[in-house]
Amino acid sequence: MKKIFFISFFSIQYAFAQVGIGTKNPNKALQISDISGATTATSVPGTSTIQIITPTVRIEGLNNANQSVTDKIRPVSVTDKGDVVLAPALVVPLIMIDDFNISNTEKDYLTAVVTTDQTSTNLTTNTVLRSFNFTLSSPSLVRLGAVTSFQFYQANSTSRIADDSNRQWGTKFRFSAAPAGIPTSATSYFGKSLKGYYSKTPNTTDQGIYYSNSEDVLYLPAGSYTIEIIAAAATASGQAPMRIINGAGNDTFSVVAYPVQ
């Protein structure tokens, strides 16, 4: 029994002898040459010589001065199992619909005007200007943006509004089709950009072109989507209905996805 015990003890000592980090010729049980940091030691209960060492590790000389311009930044994460892993290289955004991309010939998403006339019984209107389809191959952060032109007149005419009252107008988005879990109801709006319109009587310049800029960033799962761009307008009860004209100016829309897996 003594001989067996002696061999087992010797094997353990040998297995942990002379381990080096940053050196090919360690001369200690654990020699660290390129990593340094403050450490704390806690004695194992019931012993006087065995300690548990808890290092606080830092890497000497770690700064952006030794970062090559050709190197890619890659985040380091810890899994739920405690493994330190290197994340994949940062992804290149997937531009699916982008008015600023010179390879996209579509610069104006409303090539024809869209006219909406309110009535005395329908003073709140939500007009779908256009819908777009896109597909995500992986979960992504998706940036959606729209710039939309507006003009305002009295309903069913081209006469200016002059009743000294406030009205609301702007654009918003909604999904009419999306993967399970994404709201697609008629009132599930997002990316709202709503403004006030005041028809001051002496003002003769209120028939110019106004612009609404709607944008939002969403985390979306993989799948196919249909998004609608909606022109919203609201007139207070008792006020004259409006005519809303969209598309007389330069109207742009973009969808840019940043895959996260």
Side-chain angles (χ1 to χ4, degrees):
M1 289 296 293
K2 290 183 179 179
K3 183 177 182 181
I4 294 173
F5 178 80
F6 177 78
I7 292 175
S8 300
F9 180 76
F10 178 82
S11 298
I12 294 173
Q13 293 292 325
Y14 182 79
F16 287 93
Q18 298 181 343
V19 177
I21 298 178
T23 176
K24 296 181 179 180
N25 300 299
N27 53 24
K28 299 179 182 178
L30 176 61
Q31 181 177 341
I32 301 176
S33 299
D34 295 333
I35 301 178
S36 62
T39 61
T40 59
T42 303
S43 297
V44 175
T47 70
S48 59
T49 58
I50 301 177
Q51 294 182 321
I52 298 175
I53 306 298
T54 305
T56 301
V57 178
R58 65 181 176 84
I59 302 177
E60 294 178 344
L62 182 62
N63 54 65
N64 60 0
N66 59 20
Q67 170 77 28
S68 169
V69 294
T70 60
D71 289 344
K72 295 180 179 179
I73 298 176
R74 300 178 63 180
V76 175
S77 304
V78 179
T79 69
D80 54 1
K81 296 180 180 179
D83 295 326
V84 178
V85 296
L86 189 63
L90 298 179
V91 298
V92 176
L94 174 62
I95 300 174
M96 291 170 288
I97 305 170
D98 188 359
D99 51 280
F100 299 109
N101 186 348
I102 59 175
S103 65
N104 187 345
T105 59
E106 183 179 42
K107 299 296 183 181
D108 194 336
Y109 86 88
L110 289 177
T111 56
V113 298
V114 178
T115 301
T116 304
D117 286 305
Q118 296 179 332
T119 67
S120 58
T121 58
N122 185 19
L123 294 173
T124 299
T125 54
N126 290 286
T127 304
V128 178
L129 299 178
R130 187 172 168 185
S131 62
F132 290 88
N133 300 317
F134 63 91
T135 300
L136 299 176
S137 58
S138 65
S140 303
L141 288 176
V142 182
R143 179 179 64 82
L144 306 125
V147 176
T148 306
S149 59
F150 282 76
Q151 287 179 295
F152 306 102
Y153 300 94
Q154 293 182 26
N156 303 298
S157 75
T158 56
S159 300
R160 63 184 295 269
I161 302 172
D163 58 1
D164 288 324
S165 62
N166 283 314
R167 292 169 170 82
Q168 189 181 69
W169 63 280
T171 49
K172 49 193 176 183
F173 305 135
R174 69 172 288 267
F175 289 120
S176 58
I182 304 298
T184 57
S185 67
T187 57
S188 295
Y189 301 119
F190 63 96
K192 296 179 182 180
S193 176
L194 302 179
K195 302 175 176 61
Y197 174 79
Y198 180 65
S199 55
K200 183 70 175 175
T201 302
N203 188 358
T204 60
T205 63
D206 61 352
Q207 290 181 331
I209 296 177
Y210 297 81
Y211 284 93
S212 173
N213 183 13
S214 293
E215 59 183 6
D216 210 340
V217 177
L218 303 177
Y219 174 81
L220 297 175
S224 297
Y225 296 82
T226 299
I227 186 172
E228 296 178 341
I229 308 171
I230 297 169
T235 299
S237 177
Q239 302 299 329
M242 280 196 304
R243 163 169 284 189
I244 304 100
I245 296 179
N246 299 106
N250 186 27
D251 304 275
T252 60
F253 180 68
S254 65
V255 178
V256 182
Y258 302 83
V260 296
Q261 289 185 12

